Amino acid sequence: MRIVDWADETEGGPAVVLLDQRALPQRTEYLHLGTVDGVIDAVRSLAVRGAPSLGITGAYGVALAAHLHGTGTADARAAVRADAQRIATARPTAVPLSIGVRRALAALEESPAGVLAAARAVADEAATINAAATRRAADLVRERCPDRPLRALTVCNTGPLAAGPGGTALGAILALHADGVLEEVLACETRPLLQGARLTVWELQRAGVPHRLCVDSAGPAAIATGRVDVVFAGADRIAANGDVANKIGTYMLACAAARSGIPFVIVAPEETIDPDTATGADIVVEERGADEVREHGGTLMTLPGTPVYNPAFDVTPHELVTAIVTESRAWSPAPSASAPRIAASPH
Ligand code: MRU
């Protein structure tokens, strides 16, 4: 199943085609987006989400702009560039979105077909990148925690929906399952939009992986009481010093993992490490609308008009990160004196 794809003119296009993640797990619906505004709206409303999937969408969005405006004149190219800028800034935190846009835009002097080919390359590379990163992460954890079935905890959704074929953090968990060394996954529900409850549970069930769902605040308690051997999370942007921006709720899991001496492992494409962002303090954390917190399924859960704080992400300091695993390396950004211990917790 392609999560983000391209439809040719012969198919009624050109259009960016997305599996609408807002409808899952109840319904499997596809969006055919024939306008750049439609693509931007899908990104903002989380019809497509997850950093690598946003990168693929951004690249196809630029290909759509190139098909709609053409690329043959300076005016047409300026219009594509303006659309590209709007797509790249539709959400501020995930670095792959702007990278996907930039890579497609680099082919702008060619034909619209050239821009599409560049976008397809972004999409096609995801499978290879994810396979390498998830294998490396699974091997690292097996090495550190040998001789027993593993109980993993994860947050948000980092499977193929979020990252293309293979996924990232959830992909490492799937690799451990395929290796026959995974006992169970605890999936944090991931308030307020429930990417864990709606999407991770859906992917785990389809893959036949034993799992239980927990509320976000149960995650640290599960770690503290010895119910978890390893925490896996993805990343939206990693600063040059190793500070990690990921879904809100990640930081408390890293604190709990460090205190209990279990590995806290980030799995992400190398491109997520942003050399232009020195530390986590430089990362722009997206704040989303108040109704996401005030309401649930369209029902008001608090008093009307209650002021809300709704950051989509938090930043985990590098001291708390055991390893950042990408397609090309496993990087431990914590200074060795404060590196989280990798200890065997009692089963
Ligand atoms: O707001 P979302 O659903 O786009 O947030 C997604 C996450 O935080 C993921 O953990 C991250 O993008 C990595 S996806 C492999």
Side-chain angles (χ1 to χ4, degrees):
M1 177 186 297
R2 280 296 260 228
I3 311 303
V4 183
D5 212 342
W6 174 263
D8 281 319
E9 339 240 335
T10 48
E11 296 165 32
V16 179
V17 182
L18 300 176
L19 175 61
D20 187 346
Q21 298 189 32
R22 297 166 304 188
L24 288 170
Q26 282 83 13
R27 298 181 310 281
T28 304
E29 293 175 356
Y30 282 88
L31 298 172
H32 284 248
L33 305 170
T35 67
V36 170
D37 284 347
V39 172
I40 291 170
D41 186 54
V43 167
R44 290 208 173 116
S45 66
L46 273 55
V48 60
R49 31 73 44 208
S53 287
L54 288 175
I56 297 168
T57 305
Y60 279 137
V62 174
L64 180 64
H67 277 71
L68 296 175
H69 297 296
T71 57
T73 66
D75 282 353
R77 290 192 293 275
V80 176
R81 278 195 202 94
D83 279 347
Q85 175 65 13
R86 291 194 303 128
I87 297 168
T89 53
R91 292 187 75 191
T93 308
V95 70
L97 175 59
S98 55
I99 292 177
V101 164
R102 211 164 51 230
R103 284 186 57 186
L105 211 49
L108 190 57
E109 296 300 324
E110 302 173 26
S111 61
V115 180
L116 177 58
R120 281 197 202 284
V122 173
D124 292 344
E125 282 168 21
T128 320
I129 289 171
N130 293 344
T134 56
R135 187 65 260 163
R136 177 173 284 112
D139 288 347
L140 180 97
V141 169
R142 287 190 66 176
E143 222 172 83
R144 306 275 176 103
C145 311
D147 306 329
R148 62 205 161 104
L150 291 163
R151 298 152 311 161
L153 181 144
T154 192
V155 59
C156 197
N157 170 260
T158 57
L161 288 168
T168 59
L170 193 62
I173 292 173
L174 297 176
L176 292 170
H177 173 67
D179 292 348
V181 296
L182 187 74
E183 182 176 316
E184 180 193 52
V185 183
L186 269 182
C188 292
E189 62 174 354
T190 317
R191 281 272 297 151
L193 296 179
L194 302 177
Q195 288 94 329
R198 296 185 302 104
L199 308 176
T200 297
V201 164
W202 185 74
E203 289 186 323
L204 287 169
Q205 195 189 77
R206 283 162 59 94
V209 179
H211 61 276
R212 285 187 288 169
L213 178 66
C214 65
V215 299
D216 297 327
S217 40
I223 293 167
T225 53
R227 291 175 163 81
V228 179
D229 300 304
V230 54
V231 177
F232 283 108
D236 287 84
R237 186 179 299 254
I238 302 170
N241 71 342
D243 294 348
V244 176
N246 190 52
K247 179 53 58 191
I248 188 74
T250 304
Y251 170 58
M252 65 179 176
L253 300 172
C255 290
R259 185 166 165 77
S260 292
I262 65 166
F264 176 82
V265 178
I266 298 292
V267 189
E270 186 72 28
E271 68 177 14
T272 317
I273 303 170
D274 180 10
D276 298 329
T277 300
T279 75
D282 304 310
I283 296 176
V284 177
V285 171
E286 174 185 8
E287 279 207 39
R288 296 188 57 84
D291 284 343
E292 289 182 357
V293 177
R294 288 189 197 128
E295 298 178 359
H296 183 68
T299 303
L300 191 63
M301 305 302 287
T302 184
L303 296 178
T306 295
V308 160
Y309 170 53
N310 186 19
F313 306 100
D314 59 27
V315 177
T316 297
H318 62 279
E319 291 89 354
L320 300 178
V321 178
T322 308
I324 293 169
V325 184
T326 75
E327 67 276 21
S328 47
R329 58 181 164 149
W331 172 35
S332 292
S336 51
S338 63
R341 281 178 304 117
I342 309 289
S345 58
H347 231 160

